[in-house]
Amino acid sequence: MLNIENLLLRLGGNDILKNIDLSVESGEVVSLIGPSGTGKTSLLRCINLLEAPYAGRMTFENDTYDFSKISQRDKLRLRRQTAMVFQQYNLFKNKTVLENVMEAQVLVQKKSKQAAYDESLDQLEKVGLRNKLDSYPARLSGGQQQRVSIARALAVHPSVILFDEPTSALDPELVGEVLHTIRDVAKSGMTILLVTHEMRFAKDISDRVIFMDNGQVEEQGTPEDIFNRSQNPRTRQFLSQFYTPNFEI
């Protein structure tokens, strides 16, 4: 479904991502873990071209893109197939919950307002916010705002959802409701790429886990491979700060 080869992201003369190879199968949940500043968010932003890679190529749903010569048309095509859930929600403050979820459907997908309305109601029901249609973001908790963002992402029916540390801006008591919603999205069969510092959640929800450090993929494997049987000293050092693994020696 998604295959990246030799991705290089260079910003201000610095190599942020170096020779990244990554593949994701349809319906797979892949978590990206690793220290802050190591390029995990940048990788997500490269996939939907919020960042422009310097080199490499990506095959997505049978279309191949050369990062060194991406056209505006390519960017639009890719962004119609992906949806990103950001750390800071990125809701329009002057629009209601319903209007926020409808916006991309009407303006980007050119749906009728009635079709966008019906779709938005369905997705807000799934995230438990059907009773907040007319509320504005300022009247919602952080967890509720993030669930609106998830409903907005689901409403455009993307091929893959990119979650960028979706709980990092939340108070600890609100994290659980967002993780529960992401778990429901995963159970629906949606393809997910998730950047997170919630190690136990990553271990539980993922089909595959990728450990990144210094702009590179250092190790990848099943959750058991990474969390309990890692042979990479850097992976083990990182996990020892967040998670108490039962490594098999």
Side-chain angles (χ1 to χ4, degrees), residues 143-191:
Q144 289 171 329
Q145 290 186 64
Q146 193 61 292
R147 284 189 281 148
V148 173
S149 297
I150 294 171
R152 178 178 59 187
L154 291 169
V156 298
H157 291 275
S159 298
V160 59
I161 294 185
L162 311 171
F163 286 96
D164 180 22
E165 298 192 37
T167 61
S168 65
L170 299 177
D171 292 334
E173 63 184 7
L174 301 176
V175 169
E177 67 186 65
V178 173
L179 295 182
H180 178 78
T181 301
I182 296 171
R183 191 185 303 275
D184 286 344
V185 174
K187 287 179 180 177
S188 75
M190 175 62 67
T191 307

Side-chain angles (χ1 to χ4, degrees), residues 184-201:
D184 286 344
V185 174
K187 287 179 180 177
S188 75
M190 175 62 67
T191 307
I192 291 174
L193 263 172
L194 169 70
V195 171
T196 184
H197 286 297
E198 301 286 342
M199 294 297 106
R200 293 190 182 279
F201 183 69

